[in-house]
């Protein structure tokens, strides 16, 4: 019988800084060559379990261990990060921060330098892994000069160079655009087979990881393992929602059409899912739903005409861009990394200066207004709330903008309390911000902008790094703002689910201009646009094609419409 | 974006570029020390000449360093003026004679050839090291920096912090810009339009989030480094270190000779000063 390479036996762990154990009664065996997906909502303990595998626990994060855990023959209680690092290679979540070298080649060779290997050895090993991971032309580049996907490949090369046989990925998809994420999952799969590696992936975006076969899905909730089986077996139970995970879209669609997942086969991939009555059920469902043309806003709020901008003279980032945003729009701005999405928002908010073109907000020339004056009309919310928060208390943070605008204390209190109620933060108003979760902090930054009463807000990746529950809360909140307060909302996002399910309009940027401006369903069924803008095809589209539905576009649109109806009745 | 630091390394095909970073660092440090200690004008002029010739061969263009040079010249002049203001007869004290140009040695403010000569020596000291520093900074790949520091005996943990700083400075600059603009949008005025106190308060609003986000970053970096075994062994090797070649040994021999000449002159002059007034 094969011995497990990673083995937890009635394992528990409690951080010294916490009053409750984070992991409880974990029993888990992972065998050599297995590919395991570790999923669970925020706070479920999945990252903690990852830290136990690479030795950060208990070395860097002290705490109390119960039960036993061995990784590659080492008992984690008394082995160092150093010892474990020869067996376990870890790729951290943020590929940018873990890039410690001044150039790609130095970063790849970093661990060999620490092992005091000779330069000849390092050069040979670096060359080998750069070739395998397609990084050879980038060897001399600095981290500032390469994309997120490339950085992640550098990180992989940097741990693979140790020839360790366990690879641990901590949320590998979190900061990549859809196409890079897909490429990354394919690469992991390829390497795992080629090198016969044991792979543990920590990720809550199931559908994206399941694009390649996974041997086992382990689901954690509140520090305990609540699911540990082949992905298909767990998916069949359709318990994803209860476990706080997002169910793959094609499975939601099948259930919506009345198909029982228990009767289906190979349900862990949209490419293979099969069942006797799927085709007829889908046909029947799509014929039975009438597509309503939703009334989109048409009253122009912000008009951008022929915008031009470049950082270097010869490479325009924005080149003749035209776009009209209407009052009440909820739109998503999507496109490849580095295609100018953030640049465009920075131009609108005045953080960057236009080279040419005109921007008008309801007829008023934006160019005449300062950063501060524009902020009264258009609020911009950064991806990382920690970059925006400058006060210790919630009330003060939200009040700051008003106080600086010279309002009296009474007015400030009145308006801040009103905004806090809208944002569901009123009960917390006297709390310190440090006591809040990531999602709540994000909400505070939104409140601090909303209190200025802008006509429009721009949000950069509003749901990045949040699990299904927090994601849903955030998006329902934004939807409510849009519907009830009539705030125009522009979302910059890589999340195709978000764009499809929550926005009515998608603007795709490419080559410095607008490549497509249409309903999200139209965008995600247009293969040319998907390819050019590094988006990812939705599994709904594949499902519609595989089962010969009359129009894939209509099917996707109908699915979104039905979901939205269900949501508004909740 | 302005990610270029004030002085930047670029690839230039010269023999100076091909020397190992350690050789250049040793040369710079050794010549600076001997040059700072000695007041022998002949020696200083000689070293200045050598450093100007090297600068010429380094193919560094004037416009690349113009700003830095202007700053250094301004400071040097200011310094010379201040030396005169605070000690106008220091030259007389040193050289023991007085050849007056203006005034008499009894007055506080006077001008003597001795003072002028002393300040001329100071000027030479300021000037000769500048081309050497520029050559070291601009012909040494930043990646080799840390390796050279380590080679001359600085612990590798400290050496690597130099590399890490170079790696993350552009990122922190970026963070700073983003945070600053986000705070300005909220209404903090930090431009010249606002009063000093308002600006100071505005600056605090940027520093807080910047420190918090940098602390997060530091935690991740140190984890990433530890997971790849940094800091466990007593020594480490460097991918970018350049091994000593023939030219390095040659250069080191020349440097040692120059330093020995400087030391020999102490003997000849009977001290640090060369006195032409005797």
């Amino acid at each position: 019988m094969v011995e497990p390479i990673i083995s937890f036996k009635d394992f528990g762990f409690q951080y010294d800084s916490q009053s409750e154990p984070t992991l409880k009664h974990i029993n888990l065996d992972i065998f050599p060559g297995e590919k395991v997906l570790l999923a669970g909502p925020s706070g479920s303990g999945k990252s903690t379990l990852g830290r136990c595998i690479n030795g950060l626990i208990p070395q860097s994060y002290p705490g109390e261990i119960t039960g036993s855990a061995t990784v590659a023959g080492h008992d984690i209680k008394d082995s160092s990060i150093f010892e474990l690092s020869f067996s376990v290679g870890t790729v951290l979540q943020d590929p940018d921060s873990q890039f410690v070298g001044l150039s790609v080649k130095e970063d790849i060779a970093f661990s060999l330098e620490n092992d005091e290997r000779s330069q000849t050895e390092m050069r040979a090993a670096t060359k080998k892994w750069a070739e395998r991971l397609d990084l050879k032309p980038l060897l001399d580049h600095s981290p500032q000069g390469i994309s997120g996907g490339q950085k992640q490949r550098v990180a992989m090369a940097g741990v693979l160079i140790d020839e360790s046989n366990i690879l641990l990925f901590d949320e590998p998809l979190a900061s990549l655009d859809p196409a890079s994420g897909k490429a990354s999952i394919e690469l992991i799969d390829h390497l795992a087979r080629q090198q016969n590696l044991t792979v543990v992936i920590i990720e809550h975006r199931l559908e994206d990881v399941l694009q390649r076969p996974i041997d086992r899905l382990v689901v954690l909730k509140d520090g305990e393992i609540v699911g540990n089986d082949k992905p298909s077996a767990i998916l069949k139970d359709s318990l994803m929602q209860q476990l706080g995970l997002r169910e793959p879209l094609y499975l939601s669609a099948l259930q919506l059409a009345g198909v029982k997942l228990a009767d289906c086969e190979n349900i862990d991939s949209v490419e293979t899912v099969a069942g006797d009555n799927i085709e007829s059920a889908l046909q029947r469902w799509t014929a039975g739903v009438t597509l309503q043309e939703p009334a989109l806003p048409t009253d122009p709020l912000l008009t951008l005409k022929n915008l031009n901008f470049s950082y270097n003279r010869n490479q325009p980032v924005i080149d003749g861009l035209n776009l009209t945003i209407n009052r009440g729009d909820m739109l998503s701005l999507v496109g490849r990394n580095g295609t100018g999405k953030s640049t465009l928002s920075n131009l609108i908010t005045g953080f960057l200066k236009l080279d040419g073109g005109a921007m008008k907000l309801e007829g008023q020339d934006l160019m005449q207004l300062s950063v501060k004056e524009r902020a009264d009309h258009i609020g911009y919310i950064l991806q990382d709330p920690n970059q925006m928060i400058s006060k210790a208390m919630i009330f003060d943070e939200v009040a700051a903008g008003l106080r600086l605008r010279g309002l009296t204390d009474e007015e400030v209190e009145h308006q801040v309390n009103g905004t806090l109620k809208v944002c569901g933060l009123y009960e917390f108003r006297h709390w310190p911000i440090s006591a809040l979760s990531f999602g709540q902090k994000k909400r505070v930054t939104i409140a601090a902008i909303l209190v200025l009463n802008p006509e429009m807000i721009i949000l950069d990746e509003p749901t990045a790094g949040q699990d299904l529950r927090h994601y849903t809360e955030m998006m329902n909140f934004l939807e409510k703002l849009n519907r009830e307060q009539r705030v125009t909302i522009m979302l910059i996002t890589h999340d195709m689910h978000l764009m499809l399910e929550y926005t009515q309009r998608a603007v795709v940027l490419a080559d410095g201009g607008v490549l497509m401006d249409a309903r999200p369903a139209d965008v995600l069924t247009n293969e040319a646009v998907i390819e050019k803008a590094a988006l990812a095809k939705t599994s709904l589209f594949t499902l519609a094609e595989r089962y010969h539905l009359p129009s894939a576009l209509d099917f996707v649109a109908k699915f979104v419409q039905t979901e939205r109806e269900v949501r508004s009745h909740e | 974006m302005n990610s270029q630091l004030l002085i930047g390394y670029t690839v230039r095909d010269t023999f100076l570029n091909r020397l190992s970073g350690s050789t250049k660092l040793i040369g710079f440090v050794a010549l600076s020390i001997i040059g700072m200690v000695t007041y022998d004008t002949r020696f200083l002029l000689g070293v200045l000449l050598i450093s100007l010739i090297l600068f010429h061969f380094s193919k560094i263009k004037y416009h690349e360093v113009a700003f830095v040079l202007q700053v250094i010249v301004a400071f040097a002049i200011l310094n010379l003026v201040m030396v005169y203001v605070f000690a106008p007869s220091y030259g007389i004290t040193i050289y023991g004679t007085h050849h007056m140009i203006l005034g008499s040695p009894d007055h506080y403010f006077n001008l003597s050839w001795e003072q002028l000569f002393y300040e001329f020596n100071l000027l030479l000291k300021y000037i000769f090291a500048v081309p050497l520093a520029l050559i070291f900074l601009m012909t040494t790949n930043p990646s080799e920096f840390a390796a050279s520091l380590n080679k001359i005996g600085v612990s590798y943990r400290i050496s690597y912090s130099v590399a890490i700083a170079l790696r993350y400075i552009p990122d922190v600059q970026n963070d700073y810009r983003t945070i600053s603009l986000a705070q300005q949008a909220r209404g903090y005025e930090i431009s010249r339009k606002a009063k000093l106190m308002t600006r100071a308060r505005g600056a605090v609003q940027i520093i807080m989030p910047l420190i918090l986000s940098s602390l997060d970053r530091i935690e991740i970096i140190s984890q990433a480094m530890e997971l790849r075994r940094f800091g466990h062994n007593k020594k480490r090797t460097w991918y970018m270190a350049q091994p000593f070649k023939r030219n390095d040994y040659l250069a080191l021999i020349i440097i040692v000779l120059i330093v020995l000449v400087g030391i020999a002159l102490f003997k000849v002059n009977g001290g640090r000063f060369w006195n032409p007034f005797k």
Side-chain angles (χ1 to χ4, degrees), chain A residues 229-261:
Chain A
D229 209 332
K230 288 202 180 83
S232 54
I234 294 182
L235 290 171
K236 263 187 193 169
D237 289 342
S238 56
L239 290 172
M240 290 293 109
Q241 301 268 356
Q242 286 170 39
L243 296 175
L245 291 166
R246 188 149 65 178
E247 188 173 60
L249 273 185
Y250 63 94
L251 294 181
S252 309
L254 286 175
Q255 286 172 289
L256 207 58
V259 177
K260 286 213 165 40
L261 295 185

Short mmCIF file of all heavy atoms in Angstrom, two decimals, chain A residues 229-261:
data_model
loop_
_atom_site.label_atom_id
_atom_site.label_comp_id
_atom_site.label_asym_id
_atom_site.label_seq_id
_atom_site.Cartn_x
_atom_site.Cartn_y
_atom_site.Cartn_z
N ASP A 229 -13.83 14.14 -1.19
CA ASP A 229 -14.22 13.11 -2.15
C ASP A 229 -13.81 13.55 -3.54
O ASP A 229 -13.28 14.64 -3.72
CB ASP A 229 -15.74 12.93 -2.09
CG ASP A 229 -16.14 11.50 -2.48
OD1 ASP A 229 -15.39 10.87 -3.24
OD2 ASP A 229 -17.19 11.05 -1.99
N LYS A 230 -14.14 12.71 -4.54
CA LYS A 230 -13.96 13.14 -5.93
C LYS A 230 -14.86 14.35 -6.15
O LYS A 230 -15.96 14.41 -5.63
CB LYS A 230 -14.41 12.02 -6.86
CG LYS A 230 -13.48 10.85 -6.91
CD LYS A 230 -13.73 10.12 -8.23
CE LYS A 230 -12.84 8.91 -8.36
NZ LYS A 230 -13.38 7.73 -7.67
N PRO A 231 -14.39 15.31 -6.97
CA PRO A 231 -15.20 16.51 -7.18
C PRO A 231 -16.62 16.18 -7.64
O PRO A 231 -17.59 16.77 -7.15
CB PRO A 231 -14.44 17.27 -8.28
CG PRO A 231 -13.05 16.80 -8.20
CD PRO A 231 -13.10 15.40 -7.68
N SER A 232 -16.75 15.20 -8.52
CA SER A 232 -18.08 14.92 -9.06
C SER A 232 -19.04 14.48 -7.95
O SER A 232 -20.20 14.88 -7.93
CB SER A 232 -18.00 13.85 -10.15
OG SER A 232 -17.35 12.72 -9.65
N ALA A 233 -18.54 13.70 -7.00
CA ALA A 233 -19.40 13.22 -5.92
C ALA A 233 -19.90 14.39 -5.08
O ALA A 233 -21.07 14.44 -4.69
CB ALA A 233 -18.64 12.23 -5.05
N ILE A 234 -19.01 15.34 -4.80
CA ILE A 234 -19.41 16.48 -3.97
C ILE A 234 -20.36 17.40 -4.74
O ILE A 234 -21.36 17.88 -4.22
CB ILE A 234 -18.17 17.25 -3.47
CG1 ILE A 234 -17.38 16.34 -2.53
CG2 ILE A 234 -18.58 18.53 -2.76
CD1 ILE A 234 -16.17 16.97 -1.92
N LEU A 235 -20.05 17.61 -6.02
CA LEU A 235 -20.89 18.49 -6.83
C LEU A 235 -22.30 17.92 -6.96
O LEU A 235 -23.28 18.65 -7.00
CB LEU A 235 -20.27 18.71 -8.21
CG LEU A 235 -18.99 19.55 -8.24
CD1 LEU A 235 -18.36 19.51 -9.61
CD2 LEU A 235 -19.28 20.99 -7.83
N LYS A 236 -22.39 16.59 -7.04
CA LYS A 236 -23.70 15.96 -7.21
C LYS A 236 -24.64 16.26 -6.04
O LYS A 236 -25.84 16.39 -6.21
CB LYS A 236 -23.53 14.44 -7.34
CG LYS A 236 -23.51 14.00 -8.78
CD LYS A 236 -23.50 12.50 -8.89
CE LYS A 236 -23.17 12.13 -10.32
NZ LYS A 236 -22.89 10.71 -10.49
N ASP A 237 -24.05 16.36 -4.87
CA ASP A 237 -24.89 16.67 -3.70
C ASP A 237 -25.45 18.08 -3.77
O ASP A 237 -26.30 18.44 -2.97
CB ASP A 237 -24.07 16.52 -2.41
CG ASP A 237 -23.77 15.07 -2.13
OD1 ASP A 237 -24.47 14.22 -2.72
OD2 ASP A 237 -22.84 14.78 -1.36
N SER A 238 -24.93 18.86 -4.69
CA SER A 238 -25.30 20.27 -4.87
C SER A 238 -25.43 21.01 -3.54
O SER A 238 -26.43 21.65 -3.24
CB SER A 238 -26.57 20.44 -5.72
OG SER A 238 -27.64 19.71 -5.18
N LEU A 239 -24.40 20.85 -2.73
CA LEU A 239 -24.38 21.52 -1.42
C LEU A 239 -23.50 22.75 -1.43
O LEU A 239 -23.26 23.36 -0.40
CB LEU A 239 -23.84 20.56 -0.36
CG LEU A 239 -24.74 19.39 0.00
CD1 LEU A 239 -24.01 18.41 0.89
CD2 LEU A 239 -26.00 19.89 0.67
N MET A 240 -22.97 23.07 -2.63
CA MET A 240 -21.99 24.15 -2.72
C MET A 240 -22.43 25.41 -2.00
O MET A 240 -21.69 25.99 -1.22
CB MET A 240 -21.72 24.48 -4.20
CG MET A 240 -20.96 23.42 -4.94
SD MET A 240 -19.29 23.28 -4.34
CE MET A 240 -19.34 21.75 -3.52
N GLN A 241 -23.66 25.85 -2.29
CA GLN A 241 -24.14 27.11 -1.72
C GLN A 241 -24.11 27.06 -0.20
O GLN A 241 -23.65 27.98 0.45
CB GLN A 241 -25.58 27.38 -2.18
CG GLN A 241 -25.75 27.45 -3.67
CD GLN A 241 -25.60 28.86 -4.20
OE1 GLN A 241 -25.44 29.79 -3.44
NE2 GLN A 241 -25.64 29.02 -5.51
N GLN A 242 -24.60 25.93 0.35
CA GLN A 242 -24.62 25.82 1.81
C GLN A 242 -23.22 25.84 2.41
O GLN A 242 -23.01 26.29 3.51
CB GLN A 242 -25.29 24.51 2.22
CG GLN A 242 -26.78 24.54 2.02
CD GLN A 242 -27.36 23.15 2.20
OE1 GLN A 242 -26.94 22.40 3.07
NE2 GLN A 242 -28.32 22.82 1.36
N LEU A 243 -22.26 25.32 1.62
CA LEU A 243 -20.89 25.29 2.12
C LEU A 243 -20.19 26.62 1.88
O LEU A 243 -19.03 26.79 2.19
CB LEU A 243 -20.11 24.17 1.44
CG LEU A 243 -20.63 22.77 1.73
CD1 LEU A 243 -19.87 21.74 0.92
CD2 LEU A 243 -20.51 22.45 3.21
N GLY A 244 -20.90 27.56 1.29
CA GLY A 244 -20.32 28.88 1.09
C GLY A 244 -19.44 28.96 -0.14
O GLY A 244 -18.53 29.77 -0.21
N LEU A 245 -19.68 28.10 -1.11
CA LEU A 245 -18.87 28.13 -2.33
C LEU A 245 -19.76 28.37 -3.54
O LEU A 245 -20.94 28.00 -3.54
CB LEU A 245 -18.16 26.79 -2.51
CG LEU A 245 -17.06 26.51 -1.50
CD1 LEU A 245 -16.66 25.06 -1.56
CD2 LEU A 245 -15.86 27.41 -1.76
N ARG A 246 -19.18 28.95 -4.54
CA ARG A 246 -19.96 29.23 -5.73
C ARG A 246 -20.04 27.97 -6.59
O ARG A 246 -19.03 27.38 -6.95
CB ARG A 246 -19.29 30.36 -6.50
CG ARG A 246 -20.10 30.87 -7.65
CD ARG A 246 -19.84 32.32 -7.89
NE ARG A 246 -18.46 32.56 -8.30
CZ ARG A 246 -18.00 33.77 -8.61
NH1 ARG A 246 -18.77 34.81 -8.53
NH2 ARG A 246 -16.75 33.93 -8.97
N GLU A 247 -21.25 27.59 -6.91
CA GLU A 247 -21.45 26.42 -7.74
C GLU A 247 -21.07 26.78 -9.18
O GLU A 247 -21.38 27.88 -9.64
CB GLU A 247 -22.93 26.06 -7.68
CG GLU A 247 -23.28 24.77 -8.34
CD GLU A 247 -24.75 24.43 -8.05
OE1 GLU A 247 -25.62 25.23 -8.44
OE2 GLU A 247 -25.00 23.40 -7.46
N PRO A 248 -20.42 25.86 -9.91
CA PRO A 248 -20.14 26.17 -11.32
C PRO A 248 -21.43 26.54 -12.05
O PRO A 248 -22.47 25.93 -11.83
CB PRO A 248 -19.56 24.86 -11.84
CG PRO A 248 -18.94 24.21 -10.64
CD PRO A 248 -19.82 24.60 -9.49
N LEU A 249 -21.33 27.54 -12.92
CA LEU A 249 -22.53 28.08 -13.57
C LEU A 249 -23.32 27.04 -14.34
O LEU A 249 -24.55 27.03 -14.32
CB LEU A 249 -22.12 29.20 -14.54
CG LEU A 249 -22.01 30.60 -13.98
CD1 LEU A 249 -21.74 31.57 -15.10
CD2 LEU A 249 -23.28 31.00 -13.26
N TYR A 250 -22.60 26.14 -15.05
CA TYR A 250 -23.34 25.18 -15.88
C TYR A 250 -24.19 24.26 -15.02
O TYR A 250 -25.25 23.79 -15.44
CB TYR A 250 -22.39 24.39 -16.80
CG TYR A 250 -21.38 23.53 -16.08
CD1 TYR A 250 -21.62 22.19 -15.82
CD2 TYR A 250 -20.17 24.08 -15.66
CE1 TYR A 250 -20.69 21.41 -15.16
CE2 TYR A 250 -19.23 23.31 -15.00
CZ TYR A 250 -19.49 21.98 -14.75
OH TYR A 250 -18.58 21.21 -14.09
N LEU A 251 -23.72 24.02 -13.78
CA LEU A 251 -24.52 23.17 -12.89
C LEU A 251 -25.76 23.91 -12.40
O LEU A 251 -26.85 23.33 -12.32
CB LEU A 251 -23.68 22.70 -11.70
CG LEU A 251 -22.53 21.76 -12.05
CD1 LEU A 251 -21.78 21.33 -10.80
CD2 LEU A 251 -23.04 20.53 -12.81
N SER A 252 -25.59 25.21 -12.13
CA SER A 252 -26.77 26.00 -11.75
C SER A 252 -27.78 26.00 -12.88
O SER A 252 -28.99 25.89 -12.67
CB SER A 252 -26.38 27.45 -11.44
OG SER A 252 -25.31 27.48 -10.55
N ALA A 253 -27.28 26.13 -14.12
CA ALA A 253 -28.18 26.16 -15.27
C ALA A 253 -28.91 24.83 -15.43
O ALA A 253 -30.12 24.79 -15.69
CB ALA A 253 -27.39 26.48 -16.54
N LEU A 254 -28.17 23.73 -15.23
CA LEU A 254 -28.81 22.42 -15.37
C LEU A 254 -29.93 22.25 -14.34
O LEU A 254 -31.02 21.77 -14.66
CB LEU A 254 -27.77 21.30 -15.19
CG LEU A 254 -26.80 21.09 -16.35
CD1 LEU A 254 -25.77 20.04 -16.00
CD2 LEU A 254 -27.57 20.68 -17.61
N GLN A 255 -29.65 22.70 -13.11
CA GLN A 255 -30.67 22.56 -12.08
C GLN A 255 -31.88 23.44 -12.36
O GLN A 255 -33.02 23.06 -12.13
CB GLN A 255 -30.07 22.90 -10.72
CG GLN A 255 -29.19 21.80 -10.21
CD GLN A 255 -28.46 22.22 -8.96
OE1 GLN A 255 -27.57 23.04 -9.00
NE2 GLN A 255 -28.86 21.65 -7.84
N LEU A 256 -31.57 24.64 -12.91
CA LEU A 256 -32.64 25.55 -13.25
C LEU A 256 -33.57 24.91 -14.30
O LEU A 256 -34.78 25.08 -14.29
CB LEU A 256 -32.03 26.83 -13.82
CG LEU A 256 -32.82 28.12 -13.68
CD1 LEU A 256 -33.09 28.40 -12.22
CD2 LEU A 256 -32.00 29.27 -14.28
N ALA A 257 -32.97 24.11 -15.19
CA ALA A 257 -33.75 23.46 -16.24
C ALA A 257 -34.41 22.18 -15.73
O ALA A 257 -35.04 21.45 -16.50
CB ALA A 257 -32.84 23.14 -17.43
N GLY A 258 -34.26 21.91 -14.45
CA GLY A 258 -34.94 20.75 -13.86
C GLY A 258 -34.16 19.45 -13.96
O GLY A 258 -34.72 18.37 -13.75
N VAL A 259 -32.88 19.51 -14.31
CA VAL A 259 -32.09 18.29 -14.39
C VAL A 259 -31.60 17.93 -13.00
O VAL A 259 -31.14 18.80 -12.26
CB VAL A 259 -30.87 18.50 -15.33
CG1 VAL A 259 -30.00 17.24 -15.37
CG2 VAL A 259 -31.34 18.87 -16.72
N LYS A 260 -31.75 16.64 -12.64
CA LYS A 260 -31.24 16.21 -11.34
C LYS A 260 -29.76 15.85 -11.48
O LYS A 260 -29.40 14.97 -12.25
CB LYS A 260 -32.01 14.98 -10.85
CG LYS A 260 -33.40 15.32 -10.37
CD LYS A 260 -33.81 14.39 -9.23
CE LYS A 260 -35.03 14.90 -8.47
NZ LYS A 260 -36.07 15.49 -9.35
N LEU A 261 -28.89 16.55 -10.74
CA LEU A 261 -27.46 16.32 -10.88
C LEU A 261 -27.09 14.89 -10.51
O LEU A 261 -26.15 14.32 -11.06
CB LEU A 261 -26.67 17.30 -10.01
CG LEU A 261 -26.80 18.78 -10.41
CD1 LEU A 261 -25.87 19.62 -9.55
CD2 LEU A 261 -26.48 18.99 -11.89
#
